[in-house]
Amino acid sequence: MERPRHQGMAKNTYMRWRLPLVCLLWEVAMIVLFGVFVRFSPEADAHWEEEKREMNLTSDMENDFYFRYPSFQDVHVMIFVGFGFLMTFLKRYGFGAVGFNFLLAAFGIQWALLMQGWFHSFKDGKILIGVENLINADFCVGSVCIAFGAILGKTSPVQLLVMTLFQVTLFSVNEYILLNLLHVKDAGGSMTIHTFGAYFGLTVTRILYRPNLEQSKDKQGSVYHSDLFAMIGTLYLWMYWPSFNSAISEHGDAQHRSAINTYCSLAACVLTTMAFSSMLQKKGKLDMVHIQNATLAGGVAVGTSAEMMLTPYGSLIVGSISGIVSTVGYVYFTPFLESRLHIQDTCGIHNLHAMPGLIGGIVGAITAAAATEDVYGKEGFIKAFDFTGVYQTRTPGVQGGFQAAGIVVSLLMAFAGGAIVGGILKLPIWGDAAAENCFEDEVYWEVPEDEESDVYHMHNPDKPASP
Amino acid sequence: MERPRHQGMAKNTYMRWRLPLVCLLWEVAMIVLFGVFVRFSPEADAHWEEEKREMNLTSDMENDFYFRYPSFQDVHVMIFVGFGFLMTFLKRYGFGAVGFNFLLAAFGIQWALLMQGWFHSFKDGKILIGVENLINADFCVGSVCIAFGAILGKTSPVQLLVMTLFQVTLFSVNEYILLNLLHVKDAGGSMTIHTFGAYFGLTVTRILYRPNLEQSKDKQGSVYHSDLFAMIGTLYLWMYWPSFNSAISEHGDAQHRSAINTYCSLAACVLTTMAFSSMLQKKGKLDMVHIQNATLAGGVAVGTSAEMMLTPYGSLIVGSISGIVSTVGYVYFTPFLESRLHIQDTCGIHNLHAMPGLIGGIVGAITAAAATEDVYGKEGFIKAFDFTGVYQTRTPGVQGGFQAAGIVVSLLMAFAGGAIVGGILKLPIWGDAAAENCFEDEVYWEVPEDEESDVYHMHNPDKPASP
Amino acid sequence: MERPRHQGMAKNTYMRWRLPLVCLLWEVAMIVLFGVFVRFSPEADAHWEEEKREMNLTSDMENDFYFRYPSFQDVHVMIFVGFGFLMTFLKRYGFGAVGFNFLLAAFGIQWALLMQGWFHSFKDGKILIGVENLINADFCVGSVCIAFGAILGKTSPVQLLVMTLFQVTLFSVNEYILLNLLHVKDAGGSMTIHTFGAYFGLTVTRILYRPNLEQSKDKQGSVYHSDLFAMIGTLYLWMYWPSFNSAISEHGDAQHRSAINTYCSLAACVLTTMAFSSMLQKKGKLDMVHIQNATLAGGVAVGTSAEMMLTPYGSLIVGSISGIVSTVGYVYFTPFLESRLHIQDTCGIHNLHAMPGLIGGIVGAITAAAATEDVYGKEGFIKAFDFTGVYQTRTPGVQGGFQAAGIVVSLLMAFAGGAIVGGILKLPIWGDAAAENCFEDEVYWEVPEDEESDVYHMHNPDKPASP
């Protein structure tokens, strides 16, 4: 097979010492820090029998494990299969999509257990972890998976591990500001996960702008079966999103309500996505990119408000709008962002996470501001917004204002953090590939000789390279 | 690539105004109706704290959410991944299988929440929804997914949305007759979901009979990897079927028992399917079509009786028989139905849902008729069949009779409903494809240029069409 | 396509009477034995209402179903999708991997319900089954799936059914010795499932050694998409392993703790696997075989100790080590085992299950021996190791000794059992394929004509065979 000479082949993508070094360094650090800081929460500790007696619990069922473990497992599937397979749509980057997502998430959850633990579960010098910490760690890593979507195919695994280290840290700081200082509600993470993660990723990809990326244009598309693999990711994200938005809500009605609102929003989102996908194309045919992504915007857009009394019809409205916004984004905004703003957004996270995340933050602020004791009941009202202690006198209007402030803080953290981290990732030491080798598994993976096609043979040493 | 001229190409499959119009119309109607009617059930409402006190509940665990949410998520996976991927076996219709299933189910669950809500959860002018409603909506849509299996590849997305509208309506009426008027038990839906859904779909496909379908015969088969994608659907249906049959059973022993019976029935079904798949072929080789489908018949066939005292060995017997019937159906009945009765059943739902559904109804009637206070215990007997209020004096024998009547009603509703809906779908305005373009994603989807194969290039404008 | 003549083609792989006969015989035996022995446990029986009153239970939530069903479903997915798809990595053996795994597991769970029932749930002449029995049956079958990994592609379905019959029997005996006679803890089955299953399978494949297996060398690799299918299996095993290790632990803290320890161990394992996969290859590229398998070793290696107070940092250490050992195993031990010891281990179960299983047993013994009342609390200590009744006076040190004895017993049972069963499977009556037809679905399956490739056409009667 004759191929034009790759003029940029000079880039050194050799991973043999870099990747092991970073992996092992990171892991040793985790072991040391876990050894110093991390212990079991009382509900996971063998002293639980005594704890139960002290707390007057009559049944093991009262252990938080049984309230949250099924949702945790659903969230876990979303992070590893959902995000991992969603990104396999590229014809030659399936290993990188699912494999690097696996790597960064596996590291990220460890680091997130520590970072979030210091902020939220620190007691007598120890971080006490239980199932809710596992969910929160997965959530935190979700924001890294989102950012990964923007730079998919253009970064080395070492860059991803470095980015994960910094992004998890910044995520935790931002989350602390929102939840603890601003006393904002955001159980499904419209702001903390989606808005922050997406604008962080978009800033990073802007900094890492590659002017010659059209050299790998032939690899930026999908093939028939890669689109089906991606649909596995889409569907698992779509189906389990009710678990995502309800996983860390209060026990009882709040978890129940979050799941229902999310279910409704997502259902509506599918219809408007299909409508606009067909409408916006001359031939009226559906585009798999939209179906794979924009159908999920409804889950993002109720991330803040799902546990509030958004109501099922409110959810349908939010879901419908976010499906439209997201699909329109894929058709019009993504090309604009790339050509004018030099933001190369591989998976279109601007459409799936950034804009719907903003919608989610705004809907949350409005829903909070509109809350009344009549709708929530006296006790329900206090419980829903945790208007206790120093927040006893906060009104819904003020809460709405703080919710809005949470959006702004998340955006600022994302832009500033993304710029700094993008700068670090731009250093020429991390082993990223040249523009013409982007979106190509061959660079970092042993790729099997494929009898069905010769696309993976381009670096095959048995075949003479072009002169 | 030279291809013979497509003589039937006259058909207009242009979706650009039709599909968006129907999607948006349907969704706006949903928003309006949800706004008027749908609210949260007490267990999902923020007033729950007060509700709990009134009902003397000591723990949030008593919220129905925790009894049913894990099963709900399993059912959700069955509808979207299970049915969606099961139908990806066709070599060139994977997008349509998984994508249209996604579309119709997302619309169907909204409409089902309303229809079933009016019949079963209507209180003071409002439909109050909780997790059980979500499960029931998914169940209802399951019957549409089944019917979709019969017409897979031969209908436009607009037709599917129209069919969903009508089928969900008819499903809900039939379900109301069975559960409320006949006081029949059918927690896993052998009658309401499978028998009704399958005979409805078979009637529709009979009405839509295409005499020239052999023109697309080359696309009616599978390729190696499409068969593996289909196995994802099969396995998720198979694994989660115990959740399907137990999801809306009474709390406690009934849910527990349903899961065990279904587990046993499905295990037995795999062995008899494998046996007959090998036995019925001259070369003795296994056929993926049987493994993908007939292995599931055991779940269908205990849909009514799983929550009764069917016993594990009873389940093995039912599962064994249904595997045999289903496999024999694929080998002998499907060709017969097509050539003699002009019923073109793409996925063989007659074998997977219709016959096993009938078996399920009959087994349910017999199991009910054979119930004794000795086997169930005095309280268990009353609870299992809800022999309270006006049904206080109903005997097992009479219950068995009503169960049998439920089968007949479901069949009649399916035939009548299918005939009417089939007639509506036959109107030449819905944009279905010509016979030679059936089973081809290219018609409604942007299909990627596939380097591995040229099968998807047939409409490629760069290549000159045949004269 | 010209192919050299297959000299060993004499082997008779005709299944038409053998496979149906064995399947139906096995299933009829199951029905008879279930009829005689198997009934519902009190929690799944319709007498539950009375049972509840007798046991003073105030809520249906106290039914074991709600403590274990979500974990059961996760384990179920691991057995059927996890193991099934993990083995689809071979380019031409996807049907066999997922289909035969389906067959043997569906039979195995029935037989395991009986065998384990006789040992553990036998009361008044009946086996009383509930959700815990379903989990244990899945666990038992897990050990067969592991053994299947060693002989994947080289055995007929009849051989697999015969092996399953014997292995389930031996598993149950070994499990009885460990759990009941030695009073060993092994909730996640490092010894009973992994060590036993792996060394059993390795012994079987040693007995079935095929000297000419290099004749099918071209089929022993993967293709691009088969590696992605395998990643589905990997990720589901990885994500749900916390459920696997916690599924049958004591209610409350033990289940909670098992899940956390397993989560931590698996996360660490991914990083060390990636590090060593890159480090051990000259080009520094990652190898999919390692990512698909060695990342899971962390789950195996905490199978015994996860429910103990291993602590999160202890889990990170164990996970890190097992990832390294497993990856090194793939690079160095597997070739050695094949060339020197004539152990042909298709999936490398020695690296994924045998060595990590041993690590798991040892870590369990050490963790048990190191247990103190201080760490566990007085009650927690007794509860964790069940130091009641005749075991009231057992010390941690002695418990550690018995744990170590459990490893030895499992190994002996595996070697002895594997040798006998291997001998039986060597009989020339089971229809296994000749060496050059190994790893080829065509032998036992109807394989679709694949337009994308001609690799599956080799037996196509339309094409003239070579002279």
Side-chain angles (χ1 to χ4, degrees), chain C residues 386-423:
Chain C
D386 196 16
F387 285 160
T388 56
V390 292
Y391 304 105
Q392 215 168 344
T393 56
R394 196 183 266 192
T395 62
V398 173
Q399 178 68 23
F402 276 99
Q403 295 280 145
I407 306 173
V408 177
V409 172
S410 299
L411 281 172
L412 294 177
M413 287 289 293
F415 291 134
I420 295 166
V421 175

Side-chain angles (χ1 to χ4, degrees), chain C residues 193-208:
Chain C
I193 302 169
H194 298 287
T195 302
F196 170 77
Y199 285 103
F200 181 94
L202 292 167
T203 311
V204 168
T205 199
R206 174 63 193 81
I207 306 278
L208 299 180

Side-chain angles (χ1 to χ4, degrees), chain B residues 155-186:
Chain B
T155 39
S156 78
V158 172
Q159 280 177 307
L160 295 173
L161 285 170
V162 170
M163 184 178 86
T164 305
L165 179 75
F166 286 108
Q167 194 181 347
V168 166
T169 310
L170 291 164
F171 175 97
S172 304
V173 172
N174 184 53
E175 186 187 44
Y176 178 75
I177 296 172
L178 264 67
L179 302 189
N180 295 53
L181 304 186
L182 301 179
H183 195 69
V184 148
K185 302 297 283 182
D186 194 20

Side-chain angles (χ1 to χ4, degrees), chain B residues 114-425:
Chain B
L114 286 164
M115 280 302 304
Q116 295 178 317
W118 283 316
F119 280 123
H120 303 288
S121 310
F122 202 60
K123 205 179 154 185
D124 302 333
K126 299 292 174 200
I127 295 166
L128 304 182
I129 65 171
V131 66
E132 194 171 340
N133 299 71
L134 306 189
I135 298 171
N136 276 314
D138 272 30
F139 276 4
C140 174
V141 158
S143 87
V144 185
C145 300
I146 291 167
F148 178 35
I151 56 178
L152 182 74
K154 300 174 294 187
T155 39
S156 78
V158 172
Q159 280 177 307
L160 295 173
L161 285 170
V162 170
M163 184 178 86
T164 305
L165 179 75
F166 286 108
Q167 194 181 347
V168 166
T169 310
L170 291 164
F171 175 97
S172 304
V173 172
N174 184 53
E175 186 187 44
Y176 178 75
I177 296 172
L178 264 67
L179 302 189
N180 295 53
L181 304 186
L182 301 179
H183 195 69
V184 148
K185 302 297 283 182
D186 194 20
S190 290
M191 295 176 279
T192 53
I193 302 168
H194 299 287
T195 302
F196 171 77
Y199 284 103
F200 181 93
L202 292 167
T203 311
V204 168
T205 200
R206 175 63 191 81
I207 306 278
L208 298 181
Y209 175 63
R210 288 168 175 274
N212 302 315
L213 201 58
E214 82 286 350
Q215 288 178 12
S216 53
K217 204 177 175 185
D218 57 318
K219 284 170 267 173
Q220 286 189 55
S222 61
V223 290
Y224 195 67
H225 280 167
S226 73
D227 268 329
L228 281 176
F229 278 115
M231 277 306 288
I232 296 174
T234 299
L235 287 174
Y236 274 99
L237 287 168
W238 192 90
M239 296 179 304
Y240 285 162
W241 215 295
S243 297
F244 193 93
N245 284 348
S246 68
I248 58 163
S249 290
E250 294 277 332
H251 294 172
D253 60 298
Q255 284 199 294
H256 203 152
R257 190 163 55 244
S258 299
I260 296 172
N261 280 329
T262 310
Y263 176 96
C264 290
S265 176
L266 285 163
C269 188
V270 174
L271 268 85
T272 55
T273 297
M274 295 269 185
F276 275 74
S277 180
S278 172
M279 198 192 296
L280 297 179
Q281 274 190 304
K282 225 170 59 186
K283 288 183 283 178
K285 294 186 183 183
L286 295 164
D287 188 328
M288 264 304 200
V289 172
H290 308 154
I291 312 309
Q292 283 158 9
N293 292 280
T295 51
L296 302 168
V300 177
V302 296
T304 304
S305 55
E307 62 172 4
M308 302 177 190
M309 289 292 282
L310 179 60
T311 73
Y313 67 89
S315 303
L316 293 190
I317 295 170
V318 176
S320 299
I321 292 171
S322 58
I324 294 169
V325 168
S326 188
T327 310
V328 169
Y330 275 98
V331 178
Y332 297 114
F333 296 175
T334 298
F336 173 83
L337 289 180
E338 175 148 5
S339 60
R340 297 300 170 86
L341 302 184
H342 288 179
I343 296 172
Q344 293 159 328
D345 178 8
T346 311
C347 295
I349 64 165
H350 183 256
N351 313 306
L352 172 47
H353 298 282
M355 292 190 296
L358 288 177
I359 294 174
I362 294 165
V363 170
I366 295 170
T367 313
T372 64
E373 284 200 8
D374 192 45
V375 169
Y376 286 76
K378 199 173 162 56
E379 285 170 82
F381 181 72
I382 294 166
K383 193 178 155 197
F385 298 98
D386 197 17
F387 285 160
T388 55
V390 292
Y391 304 104
Q392 214 167 345
T393 56
R394 198 182 263 190
T395 62
V398 173
Q399 179 68 23
F402 276 100
Q403 295 280 144
I407 306 172
V408 177
V409 171
S410 299
L411 281 172
L412 293 176
M413 287 290 293
F415 291 133
I420 295 166
V421 175
I424 293 168
L425 298 184

